[in-house]
Every structure is written in structure tokens, then in C-alpha cells.
Amino acid sequence: MRASWQERFADSPDVLKSVRQPQTVVPVLDFHIGGGEFIAMAGPCSVETEAQLMAAADHVRQAGARILRGGAFKPRSSPYAFQGLGLAGLKLLARASREFGLAVVTEVMSEEDVPLVAEYADILQIGARNMENYALLEAAAHSGRPILLKRGMGSTVADLLRSAQLILDHGNPNVLLCERGIRTFETALRNTFDAASIALLKLTCHLPVIADPSHAAGNRELVPALARIAVAAGADGLIVEVHPNPAQAWSDGDQSLDFAGFDQMMAALEPWIALRGLMDGRRPALESLPPAQLAELQPVRLQTVEALQ
Ligand code: PEP
Ligand code: MN
């Protein structure tokens, strides 16, 4: 790695790629994040009802997601908006996880809640609003659970890496970095999706990178395109909001995909994931694609193989 990146990210030396540590692979249940397999996390913004969560879990599992998302403790832009179901939400997540064979990622908002949330979740999410809440980061690190660390909406890549370093310093190596869009002068979308930060993180840092196209876009129509961009930029996985009936969602309905939308997004991602695997010299092989998609990709493939030779 160029010396200048080491200088730029001098506060967080242990998260930077090195010969000794080229890539962290995070174990979750019976699979891994950062090991070459592209991992989809999906589910509603908030856990609302049993019927809503079970339907979402059943569907996202069938469409290829490995991890169920859903907030039981919700950080909302307004403190007067729905704040989540709390413990009842955690219990529903644990049930959905058992019934459908999904791991669970859910947010923890305060240090006091860490032991409780860690009992029910396979991955603890630290939200954008808490990326620099160091007391929370330390408590989450000590839980021993992998941590999905979301980039603050006004935070630089260096700030994100500094928070990741703190988690490592507290004995927890299993950190997933999440690009979820940042605030800029652009107001057409909820946030500005910083795809370059994904490429930069993949270049310089050994921690897996997850993209959140839902919060980045704030609008479901843009989510599939941002997901494709994330794959091309090198993300190790996605976290996406999916709801059985987005129009009725208690939070973030505008950016939530319905089931058909999630199926379409996942199907449209397949050739991009396969192409990236070829470029990285990794699985999955293009041959595993349906013949129609393979035919579509053949010209791109030939060019890619030529470029690699
Ligand atoms: C969420 O994942 O629902 C969420 C609140 O995300 P963020 O912290 O990125 O806003
Ligand atoms: Mn949300």
C-alpha cells in the first residue's frame, strides 16, 4: 500500500491492509463475510409486528439473503417518531432467525442495552448517529459479537476507520464497515452514496465493507442501481430494507423494496457478482449462471479475460 494512505489514516494503523493482514473474514453462524461470497442482509427498517417480520424473513431467505435486518431500538430523525418495539422486537427477530435459518443484525443504541441485544443478535449494528459514541463502541466491542459499524452522515473515511480501530483496540477484530450515504449539498436524494469510499476502503483496509443502498438513496427506485454500483466498487455485501407492504411501513417506507422489487434486485445483481468473481479470479464461476444471462455476458467476459492477460 502507498505510504501516503498510511499517513492519511495514521490514527488507525491496525485496520489497514498489510502483507500480514490482507483481509479480515468474519464468521457468522455457518458462513463468512469478507471471504469472497457476496452476502445480502435484508429485512424491514423496524420490527413492527409478528406477521410483518415473519413474512419478510421468509421472503428474503428464499431470495438469497443470509442475514435478517430489523430495528428493535430505532434512532429516528425525530425523537417523537416510533422508537421501536424494544425487547419484544428482539424476541421476534430471534424467532424469525430460528424459523428461517437467518442470522440477525440489529441496532444497539446505548451501552446499557448491549448485553440484552447481544443475547438476541448475531451482529450488532452501530448506527450512523452513534459512530463516534465511543462508550457504546467499547461496550459493543466487549460483547464479542461482530459489529456492523455505519459511517456517520457527516463523517470522513478517516473518522470511520478511527472508530473501527477503537473496536479492534478493545479486543474485537470482527468489524464490518458500512457505507450508507453522507450529507452533501445535494438534496435530490436522502443522502449522497459515496461509492468511491467503498473502493477506497477495499484498497486500503482489510475489514469487510457492506453497502446500504436504502439509506443512501432514500427512494426505492434508486436502490437496485446503487446496489449494482456497490458490487462494482468491491463491496463484500449489502444491507437492504425490504417490507411486505412498504406503503404501510412504520419507518422508511419510501426506501423499502417490496418482495417483487427485492427479487428483481437480487436477480439483476447476479451477473455483476459473477463478473466480479471472474475479475478477482474467484468464485462463483460464470458457468453457474442461467444460459440466458451467460449469453448476455459473453462479450463482456471475453473483453475482461483479454484485459487480464
Ligand atoms: C437503519 O439501518 O435503519 C438506520 C437507522 O440506519 P442509519 O444509522 O444508517 O441511519
Ligand atoms: Mn431505516
Side-chain angles (χ1 to χ4, degrees), residues 149-271:
L149 179 63
K150 298 191 92 175
R151 179 179 178 184
M153 45 195 105
S155 300
T156 65
V157 169
D159 296 335
L160 174 65
L161 293 181
R162 196 180 308 112
S163 289
Q165 171 77 41
L166 183 71
I167 298 170
L168 266 59
D169 285 345
H170 284 268
N172 190 334
N174 293 321
V175 181
L176 311 166
L177 302 173
C178 181
E179 164 57 36
R180 47 78 75 206
I182 51 174
R183 286 220 170 124
T184 67
F185 59 81
E186 175 57 69
T187 54
L189 296 175
R190 182 174 180 180
N191 289 293
T192 297
F193 184 50
D194 187 3
S197 78
I198 298 174
L200 175 58
L201 289 169
K202 290 307 297 176
L203 180 71
T204 57
C205 174
H206 58 75
L207 299 171
V209 179
I210 305 298
D212 176 347
S214 307
H215 291 86
N219 175 331
R220 80 177 65 84
E221 287 180 87
L222 269 297
V223 169
L226 298 195
R228 288 196 296 278
I229 292 166
V231 172
D236 297 282
L238 288 178
I239 181 162
V240 183
E241 288 185 340
V242 179
H243 193 285
N245 184 356
Q248 299 294 317
W250 297 2
S251 61
D252 286 348
D254 290 349
Q255 69 197 32
S256 298
L257 296 169
D258 63 12
F259 292 165
F262 185 61
D263 291 350
Q264 280 163 24
M265 186 200 81
M266 292 293 278
L269 280 181
E270 267 178 43

Side-chain angles (χ1 to χ4, degrees), residues 45-60:
C45 177
S46 307
V47 179
E48 298 169 0
T49 64
E50 180 180 347
Q52 170 241 22
L53 190 69
M54 298 303 152
D58 187 13
H59 192 87
V60 302

